[in-house]
């Protein structure tokens, strides 16, 4: 996508829904992430996880958030003239992500609030779902997006 094709904040409005692509979670990926970033036994040790509360390996919440970020960027945010994220809020983990799950989801714009610096604060709610269509995570994100310079249409 060329820079000229990317969306300004002016092109965004509350209620717009953007769909994500998909990401398949492998056991190897889940274990690698957990060993590096969240080495709790229900993320890293198959036998301990099977004997534990979850009945098997589950992804770290941080891993789930990382997958969300990848899906949001590759499916939506690369198409916008994003300046930077401001806030990630209200992250809720709704059910475990397991090896073999394929995740997807969507982003819904809640508000586009312009300021006097040729930008807008875009607030959105995202949901990540597994291949059964069950939600695994929800979050609210605020990000600054460039507004079209005054006098340009």
């Amino acid at each position: 996508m060329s820079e000229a094709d990317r969306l300004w904040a002016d092109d965004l409005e509350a209620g717009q829904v953007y769909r994500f692509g998909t990401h398949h979670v492998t056991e190897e990926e889940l274990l690698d992430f957990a060993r590096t970033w969240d080495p709790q036994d229900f993320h890293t040790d198959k036998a301990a996880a099977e004997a534990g509360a979850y009945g098997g390996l589950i992804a770290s919440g941080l891993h789930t958030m990382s997958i969300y970020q990848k899906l949001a960027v590759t499916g939506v945010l690369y198409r916008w003239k994003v300046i930077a994220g401001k806030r990630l809020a209200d992250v809720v983990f709704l059910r475990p992500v397991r090896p073999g799950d394929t995740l997807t989801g969507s982003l819904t714009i809640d508000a586009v609030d312009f300021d006097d610096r040729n930008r807008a604060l875009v607030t959105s709610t995202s949901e990540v779902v597994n291949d059964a269509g069950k939600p695994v995570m929800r979050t609210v994100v605020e990000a600054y997006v460039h507004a079209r310079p005054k006098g340009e249409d």
Side-chain angles (χ1 to χ4, degrees):
M1 168 171 276
S2 75
E3 182 65 25
D5 294 327
R6 293 173 66 210
L7 299 176
W8 298 93
D10 312 66
D11 302 317
L12 307 175
E13 58 186 57
Q16 288 176 316
V17 177
Y18 293 86
R19 304 276 175 222
F20 298 156
T22 61
H23 180 83
H24 182 74
V25 180
T26 66
E27 184 173 310
E28 179 181 1
E29 172 192 326
L30 187 149
L31 290 168
D32 286 347
F33 187 98
R35 287 179 184 134
T36 302
W37 301 108
D38 192 355
Q40 298 179 77
D41 62 0
F42 48 89
H43 299 317
T44 62
D45 183 326
K46 194 171 187 175
E50 287 172 357
Y54 301 106
L57 289 171
I58 64 169
S60 165
L62 295 174
H63 188 184
T64 303
M65 288 176 59
S66 296
I67 294 168
Y68 152 75
Q69 180 67 11
K70 176 187 173 189
L71 292 172
V73 169
T74 60
V76 180
L77 301 177
Y78 82 98
R79 296 169 24 197
W80 299 359
K81 292 181 177 282
V82 173
I83 299 167
K86 178 182 179 190
R87 186 169 85 130
L88 177 69
D90 302 325
V91 177
V92 182
F93 300 108
L94 301 163
R95 61 184 35 85
V97 171
R98 298 184 181 277
D101 283 354
T102 298
L103 303 180
T104 188
S106 63
L107 176 153
T108 302
I109 297 176
D110 300 321
V112 181
D113 297 310
F114 292 86
D115 64 20
D116 60 356
R117 297 171 60 189
N118 280 338
R119 67 182 188 176
L121 184 64
V122 178
T123 304
S124 61
T125 300
S126 291
E127 182 175 78
V128 177
V129 299
N130 62 23
D131 34 1
K134 304 259 187 201
V136 299
M137 187 192 104
R138 281 192 199 104
T139 189
V140 175
V141 176
E142 295 176 346
Y144 286 109
V145 178
H146 287 286
R148 193 172 276 108
K150 307 264 188 281
E152 287 189 26
D153 290 350

